[in-house]
Amino acid sequence: TGKQKWKFNNKGSWVISSPAIQNSKVYFATSDTGMLYALDAKTGTQISSWSSKHWPMFSSPAIAGSMMYIGSEEGKLMAVNLLSREPTWILETDGSKQNGPAYTKADGTPNYDAAFYDDFYDDMQIGVGKLLSVGGIYSSPVIADGVLYVGSTDGNVYALK
């Protein structure tokens, strides 16, 4: 019918990724606040949330069994155990290993001041290029035949067991 069943207020934070559904739970990420949420699919009530230290997440989550996989602009792919709600492992892209430290503060948050010197258009374009060099994972992971595939802004596609 198109009638709204419920909505979840992210307090203005963008939801660019597509949600994933499993066991009557909706999983999705926010871009600017770097949050990952689990909601009750029937009511929209928040079940839990995780923070990526405020690195934006544009990747859509992929779920296989009790594991969820999602990438961040930080150039990291997290494997989250949905039962314990804890990360099991993290893949760091080559770009993140090489360029991430230059654009990450000591507390783990993005260091936008290191990338953007001015708000002049040309400087903004250069800053975006610097952040892309971190190897962010904007693509959505795909799982097939026991292998997880994901692309990165460092120009690589990663295949993981």
Side-chain angles (χ1 to χ4, degrees), residues 15-42:
V15 179
I16 295 174
S17 67
S18 299
I21 313 293
Q22 185 187 58
N23 297 331
S24 298
K25 293 180 182 81
V26 178
Y27 299 92
F28 68 95
T30 63
S31 60
D32 49 337
T33 58
M35 295 295 295
L36 183 61
Y37 288 98
L39 308 179
D40 181 284
K42 293 180 180 161

PDB file of all heavy atoms in Angstrom, residues 15-42:
ATOM      1  N   VAL A  15      21.780   7.874   5.820  1.00  0.00           N
ATOM      2  CA  VAL A  15      21.820   6.424   5.613  1.00  0.00           C
ATOM      3  C   VAL A  15      21.936   6.229   4.111  1.00  0.00           C
ATOM      4  O   VAL A  15      20.952   6.330   3.388  1.00  0.00           O
ATOM      5  CB  VAL A  15      20.565   5.724   6.171  1.00  0.00           C
ATOM      6  CG1 VAL A  15      20.649   4.221   5.914  1.00  0.00           C
ATOM      7  CG2 VAL A  15      20.402   6.020   7.653  1.00  0.00           C
ATOM      8  N   ILE A  16      23.148   5.974   3.657  1.00  0.00           N
ATOM      9  CA  ILE A  16      23.411   5.822   2.237  1.00  0.00           C
ATOM     10  C   ILE A  16      23.430   4.342   1.849  1.00  0.00           C
ATOM     11  O   ILE A  16      23.088   3.971   0.743  1.00  0.00           O
ATOM     12  CB  ILE A  16      24.737   6.516   1.855  1.00  0.00           C
ATOM     13  CG1 ILE A  16      24.581   8.024   2.079  1.00  0.00           C
ATOM     14  CG2 ILE A  16      25.142   6.204   0.420  1.00  0.00           C
ATOM     15  CD1 ILE A  16      25.835   8.825   1.879  1.00  0.00           C
ATOM     16  N   SER A  17      23.805   3.493   2.794  1.00  0.00           N
ATOM     17  CA  SER A  17      23.895   2.064   2.503  1.00  0.00           C
ATOM     18  C   SER A  17      22.514   1.412   2.509  1.00  0.00           C
ATOM     19  O   SER A  17      21.554   1.957   3.048  1.00  0.00           O
ATOM     20  CB  SER A  17      24.788   1.385   3.547  1.00  0.00           C
ATOM     21  OG  SER A  17      24.186   1.413   4.817  1.00  0.00           O
ATOM     22  N   SER A  18      22.439   0.238   1.907  1.00  0.00           N
ATOM     23  CA  SER A  18      21.205  -0.549   1.928  1.00  0.00           C
ATOM     24  C   SER A  18      21.192  -1.406   3.180  1.00  0.00           C
ATOM     25  O   SER A  18      22.218  -1.960   3.571  1.00  0.00           O
ATOM     26  CB  SER A  18      21.130  -1.465   0.704  1.00  0.00           C
ATOM     27  OG  SER A  18      21.132  -0.699  -0.474  1.00  0.00           O
ATOM     28  N   PRO A  19      20.041  -1.555   3.828  1.00  0.00           N
ATOM     29  CA  PRO A  19      19.972  -2.403   5.017  1.00  0.00           C
ATOM     30  C   PRO A  19      20.088  -3.885   4.662  1.00  0.00           C
ATOM     31  O   PRO A  19      19.799  -4.289   3.540  1.00  0.00           O
ATOM     32  CB  PRO A  19      18.590  -2.118   5.595  1.00  0.00           C
ATOM     33  CG  PRO A  19      17.983  -1.053   4.782  1.00  0.00           C
ATOM     34  CD  PRO A  19      18.785  -0.882   3.548  1.00  0.00           C
ATOM     35  N   ALA A  20      20.502  -4.665   5.649  1.00  0.00           N
ATOM     36  CA  ALA A  20      20.492  -6.129   5.544  1.00  0.00           C
ATOM     37  C   ALA A  20      19.533  -6.636   6.613  1.00  0.00           C
ATOM     38  O   ALA A  20      19.425  -6.050   7.693  1.00  0.00           O
ATOM     39  CB  ALA A  20      21.892  -6.697   5.766  1.00  0.00           C
ATOM     40  N   ILE A  21      18.836  -7.717   6.301  1.00  0.00           N
ATOM     41  CA  ILE A  21      17.827  -8.263   7.208  1.00  0.00           C
ATOM     42  C   ILE A  21      18.183  -9.703   7.547  1.00  0.00           C
ATOM     43  O   ILE A  21      18.521 -10.487   6.656  1.00  0.00           O
ATOM     44  CB  ILE A  21      16.423  -8.267   6.558  1.00  0.00           C
ATOM     45  CG1 ILE A  21      16.097  -6.941   5.888  1.00  0.00           C
ATOM     46  CG2 ILE A  21      15.365  -8.700   7.562  1.00  0.00           C
ATOM     47  CD1 ILE A  21      15.938  -5.775   6.804  1.00  0.00           C
ATOM     48  N   GLN A  22      18.098 -10.035   8.827  1.00  0.00           N
ATOM     49  CA  GLN A  22      18.250 -11.426   9.254  1.00  0.00           C
ATOM     50  C   GLN A  22      17.560 -11.603  10.596  1.00  0.00           C
ATOM     51  O   GLN A  22      17.717 -10.761  11.494  1.00  0.00           O
ATOM     52  CB  GLN A  22      19.721 -11.834   9.371  1.00  0.00           C
ATOM     53  CG  GLN A  22      19.863 -13.309   9.696  1.00  0.00           C
ATOM     54  CD  GLN A  22      21.287 -13.704   9.980  1.00  0.00           C
ATOM     55  OE1 GLN A  22      21.901 -13.173  10.871  1.00  0.00           O
ATOM     56  NE2 GLN A  22      21.786 -14.634   9.183  1.00  0.00           N
ATOM     57  N   ASN A  23      16.829 -12.706  10.746  1.00  0.00           N
ATOM     58  CA  ASN A  23      16.161 -13.053  12.003  1.00  0.00           C
ATOM     59  C   ASN A  23      15.350 -11.883  12.571  1.00  0.00           C
ATOM     60  O   ASN A  23      15.469 -11.548  13.750  1.00  0.00           O
ATOM     61  CB  ASN A  23      17.181 -13.545  13.035  1.00  0.00           C
ATOM     62  CG  ASN A  23      17.873 -14.809  12.596  1.00  0.00           C
ATOM     63  OD1 ASN A  23      17.307 -15.616  11.864  1.00  0.00           O
ATOM     64  ND2 ASN A  23      19.107 -14.980  13.013  1.00  0.00           N
ATOM     65  N   SER A  24      14.561 -11.260  11.716  1.00  0.00           N
ATOM     66  CA  SER A  24      13.682 -10.144  12.113  1.00  0.00           C
ATOM     67  C   SER A  24      14.439  -8.948  12.669  1.00  0.00           C
ATOM     68  O   SER A  24      13.916  -8.187  13.481  1.00  0.00           O
ATOM     69  CB  SER A  24      12.633 -10.607  13.133  1.00  0.00           C
ATOM     70  OG  SER A  24      11.813 -11.593  12.572  1.00  0.00           O
ATOM     71  N   LYS A  25      15.689  -8.781  12.230  1.00  0.00           N
ATOM     72  CA  LYS A  25      16.488  -7.620  12.609  1.00  0.00           C
ATOM     73  C   LYS A  25      16.953  -6.909  11.345  1.00  0.00           C
ATOM     74  O   LYS A  25      17.296  -7.542  10.349  1.00  0.00           O
ATOM     75  CB  LYS A  25      17.688  -8.023  13.449  1.00  0.00           C
ATOM     76  CG  LYS A  25      17.307  -8.575  14.811  1.00  0.00           C
ATOM     77  CD  LYS A  25      18.546  -8.954  15.594  1.00  0.00           C
ATOM     78  CE  LYS A  25      18.171  -9.552  16.921  1.00  0.00           C
ATOM     79  NZ  LYS A  25      17.808 -10.957  16.843  1.00  0.00           N
ATOM     80  N   VAL A  26      16.959  -5.569  11.397  1.00  0.00           N
ATOM     81  CA  VAL A  26      17.424  -4.724  10.301  1.00  0.00           C
ATOM     82  C   VAL A  26      18.782  -4.158  10.705  1.00  0.00           C
ATOM     83  O   VAL A  26      18.907  -3.556  11.774  1.00  0.00           O
ATOM     84  CB  VAL A  26      16.441  -3.557  10.044  1.00  0.00           C
ATOM     85  CG1 VAL A  26      16.948  -2.657   8.939  1.00  0.00           C
ATOM     86  CG2 VAL A  26      15.051  -4.080   9.741  1.00  0.00           C
ATOM     87  N   TYR A  27      19.791  -4.363   9.853  1.00  0.00           N
ATOM     88  CA  TYR A  27      21.134  -3.847  10.107  1.00  0.00           C
ATOM     89  C   TYR A  27      21.458  -2.810   9.045  1.00  0.00           C
ATOM     90  O   TYR A  27      21.257  -3.053   7.854  1.00  0.00           O
ATOM     91  CB  TYR A  27      22.162  -4.980  10.047  1.00  0.00           C
ATOM     92  CG  TYR A  27      21.941  -6.057  11.074  1.00  0.00           C
ATOM     93  CD1 TYR A  27      21.179  -7.176  10.787  1.00  0.00           C
ATOM     94  CD2 TYR A  27      22.492  -5.932  12.354  1.00  0.00           C
ATOM     95  CE1 TYR A  27      20.973  -8.169  11.741  1.00  0.00           C
ATOM     96  CE2 TYR A  27      22.287  -6.915  13.316  1.00  0.00           C
ATOM     97  CZ  TYR A  27      21.526  -8.034  12.999  1.00  0.00           C
ATOM     98  OH  TYR A  27      21.319  -9.000  13.937  1.00  0.00           O
ATOM     99  N   PHE A  28      21.964  -1.649   9.474  1.00  0.00           N
ATOM    100  CA  PHE A  28      22.358  -0.614   8.518  1.00  0.00           C
ATOM    101  C   PHE A  28      23.409   0.290   9.146  1.00  0.00           C
ATOM    102  O   PHE A  28      23.580   0.322  10.371  1.00  0.00           O
ATOM    103  CB  PHE A  28      21.154   0.208   8.054  1.00  0.00           C
ATOM    104  CG  PHE A  28      20.558   1.075   9.128  1.00  0.00           C
ATOM    105  CD1 PHE A  28      20.923   2.407   9.248  1.00  0.00           C
ATOM    106  CD2 PHE A  28      19.633   0.557  10.013  1.00  0.00           C
ATOM    107  CE1 PHE A  28      20.381   3.194  10.251  1.00  0.00           C
ATOM    108  CE2 PHE A  28      19.075   1.342  11.000  1.00  0.00           C
ATOM    109  CZ  PHE A  28      19.457   2.666  11.129  1.00  0.00           C
ATOM    110  N   ALA A  29      24.100   1.040   8.301  1.00  0.00           N
ATOM    111  CA  ALA A  29      25.151   1.954   8.748  1.00  0.00           C
ATOM    112  C   ALA A  29      24.795   3.381   8.386  1.00  0.00           C
ATOM    113  O   ALA A  29      24.035   3.632   7.455  1.00  0.00           O
ATOM    114  CB  ALA A  29      26.472   1.566   8.085  1.00  0.00           C
ATOM    115  N   THR A  30      25.366   4.308   9.132  1.00  0.00           N
ATOM    116  CA  THR A  30      25.217   5.722   8.819  1.00  0.00           C
ATOM    117  C   THR A  30      26.539   6.236   8.265  1.00  0.00           C
ATOM    118  O   THR A  30      27.604   5.717   8.603  1.00  0.00           O
ATOM    119  CB  THR A  30      24.827   6.543  10.063  1.00  0.00           C
ATOM    120  OG1 THR A  30      25.870   6.455  11.037  1.00  0.00           O
ATOM    121  CG2 THR A  30      23.522   6.044  10.650  1.00  0.00           C
ATOM    122  N   SER A  31      26.446   7.232   7.418  1.00  0.00           N
ATOM    123  CA  SER A  31      27.664   7.738   6.806  1.00  0.00           C
ATOM    124  C   SER A  31      28.414   8.681   7.728  1.00  0.00           C
ATOM    125  O   SER A  31      29.478   8.355   8.243  1.00  0.00           O
ATOM    126  CB  SER A  31      27.345   8.419   5.476  1.00  0.00           C
ATOM    127  OG  SER A  31      26.455   9.497   5.693  1.00  0.00           O
ATOM    128  N   ASP A  32      27.880   9.842   7.982  1.00  0.00           N
ATOM    129  CA  ASP A  32      28.646  10.880   8.683  1.00  0.00           C
ATOM    130  C   ASP A  32      28.943  10.569  10.145  1.00  0.00           C
ATOM    131  O   ASP A  32      29.982  10.969  10.660  1.00  0.00           O
ATOM    132  CB  ASP A  32      27.966  12.241   8.547  1.00  0.00           C
ATOM    133  CG  ASP A  32      26.480  12.208   8.879  1.00  0.00           C
ATOM    134  OD1 ASP A  32      25.869  11.138   8.797  1.00  0.00           O
ATOM    135  OD2 ASP A  32      25.939  13.266   9.223  1.00  0.00           O
ATOM    136  N   THR A  33      28.093   9.837  10.845  1.00  0.00           N
ATOM    137  CA  THR A  33      28.369   9.511  12.247  1.00  0.00           C
ATOM    138  C   THR A  33      29.078   8.167  12.415  1.00  0.00           C
ATOM    139  O   THR A  33      29.520   7.845  13.512  1.00  0.00           O
ATOM    140  CB  THR A  33      27.076   9.501  13.089  1.00  0.00           C
ATOM    141  OG1 THR A  33      26.164   8.559  12.530  1.00  0.00           O
ATOM    142  CG2 THR A  33      26.451  10.876  13.149  1.00  0.00           C
ATOM    143  N   GLY A  34      29.181   7.380  11.356  1.00  0.00           N
ATOM    144  CA  GLY A  34      29.898   6.114  11.424  1.00  0.00           C
ATOM    145  C   GLY A  34      29.302   5.126  12.408  1.00  0.00           C
ATOM    146  O   GLY A  34      30.024   4.407  13.087  1.00  0.00           O
ATOM    147  N   MET A  35      27.981   5.068  12.467  1.00  0.00           N
ATOM    148  CA  MET A  35      27.304   4.152  13.387  1.00  0.00           C
ATOM    149  C   MET A  35      26.727   2.966  12.612  1.00  0.00           C
ATOM    150  O   MET A  35      26.331   3.102  11.460  1.00  0.00           O
ATOM    151  CB  MET A  35      26.172   4.861  14.118  1.00  0.00           C
ATOM    152  CG  MET A  35      26.612   5.968  15.049  1.00  0.00           C
ATOM    153  SD  MET A  35      27.605   5.408  16.445  1.00  0.00           S
ATOM    154  CE  MET A  35      26.418   4.408  17.336  1.00  0.00           C
ATOM    155  N   LEU A  36      26.689   1.836  13.281  1.00  0.00           N
ATOM    156  CA  LEU A  36      26.074   0.634  12.752  1.00  0.00           C
ATOM    157  C   LEU A  36      24.956   0.265  13.716  1.00  0.00           C
ATOM    158  O   LEU A  36      25.176   0.184  14.927  1.00  0.00           O
ATOM    159  CB  LEU A  36      27.106  -0.489  12.671  1.00  0.00           C
ATOM    160  CG  LEU A  36      26.686  -1.810  12.082  1.00  0.00           C
ATOM    161  CD1 LEU A  36      26.256  -1.636  10.636  1.00  0.00           C
ATOM    162  CD2 LEU A  36      27.834  -2.803  12.154  1.00  0.00           C
ATOM    163  N   TYR A  37      23.752   0.089  13.179  1.00  0.00           N
ATOM    164  CA  TYR A  37      22.577  -0.151  14.013  1.00  0.00           C
ATOM    165  C   TYR A  37      21.947  -1.503  13.725  1.00  0.00           C
ATOM    166  O   TYR A  37      21.987  -1.987  12.596  1.00  0.00           O
ATOM    167  CB  TYR A  37      21.503   0.913  13.748  1.00  0.00           C
ATOM    168  CG  TYR A  37      21.834   2.270  14.302  1.00  0.00           C
ATOM    169  CD1 TYR A  37      22.382   3.251  13.483  1.00  0.00           C
ATOM    170  CD2 TYR A  37      21.587   2.575  15.636  1.00  0.00           C
ATOM    171  CE1 TYR A  37      22.682   4.503  13.984  1.00  0.00           C
ATOM    172  CE2 TYR A  37      21.883   3.831  16.144  1.00  0.00           C
ATOM    173  CZ  TYR A  37      22.428   4.792  15.317  1.00  0.00           C
ATOM    174  OH  TYR A  37      22.724   6.023  15.817  1.00  0.00           O
ATOM    175  N   ALA A  38      21.304  -2.054  14.769  1.00  0.00           N
ATOM    176  CA  ALA A  38      20.420  -3.214  14.640  1.00  0.00           C
ATOM    177  C   ALA A  38      19.073  -2.782  15.201  1.00  0.00           C
ATOM    178  O   ALA A  38      18.993  -2.271  16.322  1.00  0.00           O
ATOM    179  CB  ALA A  38      20.961  -4.403  15.421  1.00  0.00           C
ATOM    180  N   LEU A  39      18.016  -2.950  14.389  1.00  0.00           N
ATOM    181  CA  LEU A  39      16.656  -2.593  14.795  1.00  0.00           C
ATOM    182  C   LEU A  39      15.756  -3.812  14.709  1.00  0.00           C
ATOM    183  O   LEU A  39      16.005  -4.715  13.911  1.00  0.00           O
ATOM    184  CB  LEU A  39      16.079  -1.506  13.865  1.00  0.00           C
ATOM    185  CG  LEU A  39      16.873  -0.243  13.628  1.00  0.00           C
ATOM    186  CD1 LEU A  39      16.109   0.664  12.661  1.00  0.00           C
ATOM    187  CD2 LEU A  39      17.163   0.476  14.920  1.00  0.00           C
ATOM    188  N   ASP A  40      14.694  -3.791  15.489  1.00  0.00           N
ATOM    189  CA  ASP A  40      13.651  -4.797  15.363  1.00  0.00           C
ATOM    190  C   ASP A  40      12.899  -4.514  14.060  1.00  0.00           C
ATOM    191  O   ASP A  40      12.401  -3.401  13.859  1.00  0.00           O
ATOM    192  CB  ASP A  40      12.704  -4.722  16.557  1.00  0.00           C
ATOM    193  CG  ASP A  40      11.611  -5.758  16.484  1.00  0.00           C
ATOM    194  OD1 ASP A  40      10.664  -5.561  15.684  1.00  0.00           O
ATOM    195  OD2 ASP A  40      11.689  -6.742  17.227  1.00  0.00           O
ATOM    196  N   ALA A  41      12.837  -5.482  13.154  1.00  0.00           N
ATOM    197  CA  ALA A  41      12.226  -5.268  11.835  1.00  0.00           C
ATOM    198  C   ALA A  41      10.728  -4.987  11.921  1.00  0.00           C
ATOM    199  O   ALA A  41      10.177  -4.316  11.047  1.00  0.00           O
ATOM    200  CB  ALA A  41      12.480  -6.476  10.931  1.00  0.00           C
ATOM    201  N   LYS A  42      10.059  -5.469  12.949  1.00  0.00           N
ATOM    202  CA  LYS A  42       8.618  -5.267  13.053  1.00  0.00           C
ATOM    203  C   LYS A  42       8.250  -3.909  13.635  1.00  0.00           C
ATOM    204  O   LYS A  42       7.253  -3.309  13.233  1.00  0.00           O
ATOM    205  CB  LYS A  42       7.990  -6.384  13.890  1.00  0.00           C
ATOM    206  CG  LYS A  42       8.073  -7.723  13.207  1.00  0.00           C
ATOM    207  CD  LYS A  42       7.467  -8.821  14.030  1.00  0.00           C
ATOM    208  CE  LYS A  42       7.615 -10.104  13.234  1.00  0.00           C
ATOM    209  NZ  LYS A  42       7.502 -11.282  13.967  1.00  0.00           N
TER     210      LYS A  42
END
